Amino acid sequence: MDEKLKIKISIADRVYPLTVSMQQEEAMRSASKKIDLMIKQFEENYAVRDKQDVLAMCALQFASQLEQKKVDNAIDGTESIERLTNLNSLLDDYLNK
């Protein structure tokens, strides 16, 4: 049975009550810490006055990282398929001799 936990996550000095599965708890807490760290970095490095702007920049940063990983994985998958096709061709040639 998937037991649910009620936790409180703090992001940008605001507390958000959440209900998550036990498997999600650690990831949620880790994500919250990463967001707060990124907020601090943006506030230190850029003249940002509004928390909403900082949060938007964090969202963009995380989304772009996710999209880049998708692109990288797609490229890796294509290369793997090409390698497997070439290997299969070599095996066919060897077995048909």
Side-chain angles (χ1 to χ4, degrees), residues 39-50:
I39 288 169
K40 185 183 287 186
Q41 289 173 343
F42 278 128
E43 288 176 335
E44 289 173 358
N45 295 326
Y46 302 100
V48 181
R49 298 180 198 165
D50 188 2

Side-chain angles (χ1 to χ4, degrees), residues 1-5 20-28:
M1 186 168 126
D2 194 19
E3 190 175 331
K4 298 289 185 178
L5 299 173
V20 299
S21 69
M22 291 179 77
Q23 292 83 4
Q24 291 176 311
E25 180 188 13
E26 185 178 346
M28 287 290 200

Side-chain angles (χ1 to χ4, degrees), residues 6-86:
K6 292 186 182 214
I7 63 172
K8 292 182 181 179
I9 297 293
S10 176
I11 299 173
D13 301 323
R14 293 183 90 173
V15 176
Y16 298 91
L18 300 172
T19 303
V20 299
S21 69
M22 291 179 77
Q23 292 83 4
Q24 291 176 311
E25 180 188 13
E26 185 178 346
M28 287 290 200
R29 293 189 188 281
S30 177
S32 170
K33 288 178 185 176
K34 287 180 181 180
I35 292 168
D36 277 336
L37 179 62
M38 191 176 287
I39 288 169
K40 185 183 287 186
Q41 289 173 343
F42 278 128
E43 288 176 335
E44 289 173 358
N45 295 326
Y46 302 100
V48 181
R49 298 180 198 165
D50 188 2
K51 282 281 188 201
Q52 177 131 3
D53 290 337
V54 175
L55 289 169
M57 292 168 69
C58 288
L60 179 61
Q61 182 76 21
F62 281 118
S64 67
Q65 289 171 357
L66 180 63
E67 291 301 313
Q68 186 61 49
K69 284 183 182 182
K70 286 181 183 178
V71 168
D72 292 345
N73 287 340
I75 290 169
D76 290 343
T78 302
E79 290 175 10
S80 296
I81 290 170
E82 287 177 23
R83 289 181 189 158
L84 288 171
T85 302
N86 290 337

